[in-house]
Amino acid sequence: MRRVDGPDPVSIRIHEKLVGLTPNAPECCIFRVHTLLRNVNQKAYDPQLLSIGPYHRGKDGLRLMEDHKLRYLQLLLQRRNETSVETYIKAMRELEGRARRCYAEPISLTTDEFVEMMLLDGCFIIELFRKFEMLDLIDERDPILQFGWMFYSLKRDLLLFENQIPFFVLTKLFKMTKVPNQEGNLIDLAVLFFQVSLLPFGHHISASSHESFIDIEHLLALLYKSFTPPSVGIEDNTEEKLNSIPSATELQEAGVKLKKLQSGSFFDLKFNNGVLEIPFLNIDDGSESIFRNLIAYEQYGRNNDVKYVTDYVSFMDDLTNSPKDVELIRRQGIIENWLSDDEAVSTMFNKLGENVMVSNDYYAQIFRDVKKHCRERKNVWIANLRHKYFNSPWALISFLAIGFVMKSCRKQSTKN
C-alpha cells in the first residue's frame, strides 16, 4: 500500500477538475447528435454544401460556399451604400458570449473567428431569404438560385440540427440591415422559404402569429414550431397505455378503413365508425433527413412535453411494416411516393424509430379506440366477408346465388 504524505494527489486532481467544471448553460440548445442516433444514418445529419455554425466549419466539400457567403455580404453592403462591416462586427462581439453558451460542446474558435463566423453565416442566411422573396435582389449569375439542386441542398442543410446559429443572431443582423417598407419580418421570410418544395407537409405550416414563436432557438426550432400544434398538456389517463397500432393490412383485415384526412393539422388522426383518417404525406429523397433532424430536436428539447414528430413517425412505423402496407396506404391517396418503390418507404419509417425514445402520448386515445374496434368480432367478420365476397363482381354474384339457393331451400322445407 502506498503511503501518502499530505493531501492525496488523486483528491487534488479531482478537486481541480471540479473547480474547472462549467455548469450547463440554460441557453444551451445546439447539440451534436449522439452516436446511437447518428450511426443509423450519419448522412442525414451532415451538410452537403453549406456549413452553418462551428460544428461542421472547415470540412472538405463545404468550402465552396464560404466564397458565396462573402459575395452575399458584399452585395448587402453595396445595396446599403456601406464600405465597412465595423458596425456589424461590434454588434456580433456583444453577442459572442451568449451565442457560445448556446452550443453544448466547447468551441475551439478564437473570439475573432467566432465573431466572423456569426457575421458571415447570419448575413448569408438573411440575404438568401430576401432573394427568395424579393425578385429585384436576384442576380441572374447567382448559381445558388440558378441551379435547382443547389438551392434544394441549401434548404436541407439549413435545417440540420447540428448546423445552426442562434436565432437572436439572425434577428439582430436582420434588424440592422432591414430596408424600411420593403420587407416583412424575419419569421415570415423564413417560413415562406422552407415551406416551398422541401417539406413533406408544407401546406400545414401556420402563420407567424403562432404564440409558440416566442424564444425561438434557431431555424430548425422555428420550422418545428411553425407546424406543430400549440403546447397542450397530456391527460394522466389510468386506462391501458398502448405504444403501438396494427399495420395497415392488419387494420384492413379487422374492418378498419384508411382514408386521407382532407383538412386539419399534419398531426391530426381521426377515428370514427371504423374509419381512420390520416393526413397526406409526400415522401422524397429529402424526407428522411427532415424527419431525423426534427426528431433529434425533440429528443434534446427541454420544453418539448409532447413529441409530435417522434410519435407521428412511430405511428407510421407501425402502420408501414411491409411494402404491402405502403401500397395500401398509397392507393388510398395518403402517401405520394417519390422513392424507388414501396419497400423504400417501409424501410425508411422502420429505421426512423431506432434508438429514439417514444411515448405515443399524443395518439394514446386513438390507439385505444382502434384496438377496441379491432377486438369486436362483428367488425372482423364483416371485414372478412367483404374481403372474400365483395372484391370482384363474380364473387358477389356467387355470394348472392348461394344466399338465393339457401333461401329457396328453407321455403321448400317449410312447405313440406
Side-chain angles (χ1 to χ4, degrees), residues 11 22 26 29 67-68 73 136 147 157 182 188 232 257 271 280 330 337 342 344 348 351 353 382 394 409:
S11 175
T22 56
C29 60
D67 287 339
H68 287 291
L73 177 59
D136 58 313
F147 304 123
D157 288 350
Q182 288 192 14
D188 285 337
V232 294
K257 181 180 179 181
F271 183 72
F280 173 75
R330 178 172 52 78
N337 180 16
D342 291 334
M348 182 192 78
K351 288 187 175 182
I382 292 175
W394 293 113
C409 291

Side-chain angles (χ1 to χ4, degrees), residues 16-36:
E16 291 173 348
K17 289 181 179 180
L18 291 173
V19 171
L21 193 64
T22 56
N24 291 326
E27 303 99 322
C28 183
C29 60
I30 305 174
F31 301 80
R32 288 189 188 273
V33 179
H34 64 79
T35 303
L36 289 175

Side-chain angles (χ1 to χ4, degrees), residues 51-324:
S51 168
I52 295 293
Y55 288 157
H56 296 276
R57 191 170 185 266
K59 286 187 176 180
D60 292 339
L62 305 178
R63 294 174 183 172
L64 173 65
M65 295 307 301
E66 297 304 310
D67 287 339
H68 287 291
K69 292 177 184 179
L70 287 170
R71 290 191 185 97
Y72 273 36
L73 177 59
Q74 184 182 55
L75 291 172
L76 184 151
L77 294 173
Q78 290 174 354
R79 191 173 70 249
R80 294 179 55 81
N81 295 318
E82 295 175 341
T83 58
S84 172
V85 296
E86 191 69 33
T87 303
Y88 305 112
I89 292 296
K90 181 180 178 181
M92 293 299 98
R93 288 192 185 281
E94 293 174 354
L95 296 178
E96 183 207 354
R98 181 185 172 192
R100 279 185 183 270
R101 292 192 295 272
C102 291
Y103 294 93
E105 297 186 12
I107 306 302
S108 60
L109 299 178
T110 66
T111 292
D112 290 348
E113 290 171 337
F114 193 88
V115 167
E116 179 182 342
M117 177 197 72
M118 285 196 295
L119 177 64
L120 291 177
D121 288 1
C123 287
F124 177 79
I125 292 171
I126 292 169
E127 286 295 284
L128 192 61
F129 291 169
R130 284 174 173 147
K131 287 175 182 290
F132 184 74
E133 171 67 12
M134 292 175 275
L135 298 179
D136 58 313
L137 298 183
I138 294 179
D139 181 359
E140 294 181 354
R141 297 167 295 178
D142 186 347
I144 293 176
L145 300 176
Q146 275 185 333
F147 304 123
W149 66 268
M150 181 179 288
F151 191 54
Y152 183 90
S153 294
L154 291 181
K155 282 188 175 186
R156 174 224 179 244
D157 288 350
L158 286 171
L159 292 178
L160 300 179
F161 187 48
E162 298 179 349
N163 214 34
Q164 302 293 324
I165 60 172
F167 196 75
F168 60 79
V169 173
L170 296 177
T171 301
K172 181 65 174 179
L173 290 170
F174 181 79
K175 289 180 178 178
M176 293 180 70
T177 60
K178 186 175 181 179
V179 180
N181 303 320
Q182 288 192 14
E183 57 186 341
N185 61 67
L186 178 58
I187 291 176
D188 285 337
L189 286 178
V191 168
L192 177 64
F193 179 83
F194 286 119
Q195 74 176 358
V196 178
S197 71
L198 177 69
L199 303 181
F201 37 79
H203 60 289
H204 291 282
I205 287 183
S206 63
S208 61
S209 59
H210 198 304
E211 62 181 13
S212 67
F213 286 153
I214 300 172
D215 298 327
I216 300 167
E217 301 106 315
H218 41 67
L219 287 177
L220 180 63
L222 169 63
L223 175 77
Y224 179 85
K225 293 175 181 180
S226 70
F227 70 87
T228 52
S231 180
V232 294
I234 298 297
E235 296 181 7
D236 186 12
N237 200 315
T238 57
E239 295 184 54
E240 178 187 7
K241 185 173 181 179
L242 303 176
N243 291 319
S244 63
I245 195 170
S247 68
T249 52
E250 289 172 333
L251 288 175
Q252 186 184 50
E253 291 169 359
V256 175
K257 181 180 179 181
L258 302 177
K259 182 180 178 182
K260 182 174 75 170
L261 184 69
Q262 297 299 329
S263 63
S265 165
F266 172 70
F267 298 101
D268 281 348
L269 295 180
K270 294 182 179 180
F271 183 72
N272 189 33
N273 294 326
V275 178
L276 180 59
E277 295 185 78
I278 306 169
F280 173 75
L281 183 64
N282 185 62
I283 299 293
D284 60 24
D285 291 335
S287 299
E288 181 174 354
S289 178
I290 296 296
F291 276 125
R292 285 194 175 278
N293 283 275
L294 289 169
I295 289 172
Y297 171 70
E298 284 187 331
Q299 297 292 301
Y300 282 90
R302 293 190 180 96
N303 300 318
N304 297 327
D305 297 329
V306 183
K307 294 178 170 51
Y308 296 102
V309 178
T310 305
D311 283 2
Y312 171 82
V313 166
S314 175
F315 161 72
M316 291 300 294
D317 179 15
D318 293 335
L319 203 65
T320 59
N321 272 344
S322 70
K324 187 177 180 181

